[in-house]
Amino acid sequence: MKNIIASTIIFSIAFTGSCNSQKNTENNQNKSVITDQKYDIEKIELTEQTRGTNKKTTFTPTTITTLLNETSKVSDLSANNWKSIVKEASLIDLNKISSYPSPTTGRFSDRALSSTIIITHKGKTFQSSEFDAGTPPKELEALYQLLKK
């Protein structure tokens, strides 16, 4: 009788430990996937231009580079800000980004800067259609607001 009880206890401990080990492995794999996804987006660019102005702002995991006409400025980008930008960008269907319609047309007569958002993801570039600075397509609005901060 004692052997049966002892065997049952040993079996139960081994089985429970095995399940916990499997859960830990799954959790570690999920964390790895989330970490890897952070680095799928390599950079995001916001261009704004008209006849006399050419501005390009490039966001990478650690820096913001702003080129205004011929003047360049580099500043640090915090990990939290990059994480927020990537999180917002990951909500966009990159295969459809070029088809999102612009809500206004001021850029056609120089009433607004012509803007685009370019996202580099896994070495491939995805570019939005042109839109008026300050009024992006609704699908890009949250990302645009983060980039303009």
Side-chain angles (χ1 to χ4, degrees):
M1 183 73 165
K2 287 183 181 180
N3 288 339
I4 294 173
I5 293 173
S7 297
T8 304
I9 291 172
I10 292 172
F11 178 76
S12 296
I13 291 171
F15 182 72
T16 303
S18 170
C19 289
N20 286 338
S21 175
Q22 183 177 0
K23 287 179 185 176
N24 288 338
T25 301
E26 288 173 4
N27 285 340
N28 288 339
Q29 287 173 344
N30 288 342
K31 286 179 186 174
S32 176
V33 168
I34 290 168
T35 302
D36 290 346
Q37 287 175 348
K38 263 196 319 193
Y39 298 106
D40 285 350
I41 294 179
E42 298 153 22
K43 70 178 176 178
I44 298 176
E45 299 169 88
L46 173 64
T47 64
E48 299 174 307
Q49 59 190 17
T50 191
R51 286 184 225 194
T53 303
N54 187 13
K55 183 177 181 182
K56 181 178 181 180
T57 308
T58 304
F59 299 83
T60 65
T62 58
T63 62
I64 302 172
T65 305
T66 304
L67 179 63
L68 178 59
N69 295 332
E70 298 298 319
T71 306
S72 180
K73 177 185 169 190
V74 178
S75 55
D76 292 332
L77 180 64
S78 73
N80 285 337
N81 285 345
W82 176 249
K83 184 178 177 180
S84 296
I85 290 169
V86 169
K87 181 179 176 184
E88 200 58 52
S90 69
L91 299 175
I92 298 168
D93 185 346
L94 296 178
N95 292 315
K96 294 181 181 178
I97 192 171
S98 64
S99 66
Y100 297 146
S102 175
T104 57
T105 59
R107 66 194 175 284
F108 295 150
S109 60
D110 284 342
R111 284 184 284 146
L113 296 171
S114 177
S115 300
T116 58
I117 294 176
I118 303 165
I119 300 173
T120 303
H121 177 265
K122 292 185 177 180
K124 189 172 179 185
T125 302
F126 299 87
Q127 182 171 331
S128 73
S129 59
E130 291 184 352
F131 59 90
D132 292 351
T135 54
K138 66 180 179 185
E139 297 87 351
L140 302 177
E141 190 167 352
L143 176 61
Y144 180 80
Q145 295 304 324
L146 279 174
L147 300 178
K148 292 300 288 182
K149 280 187 176 179

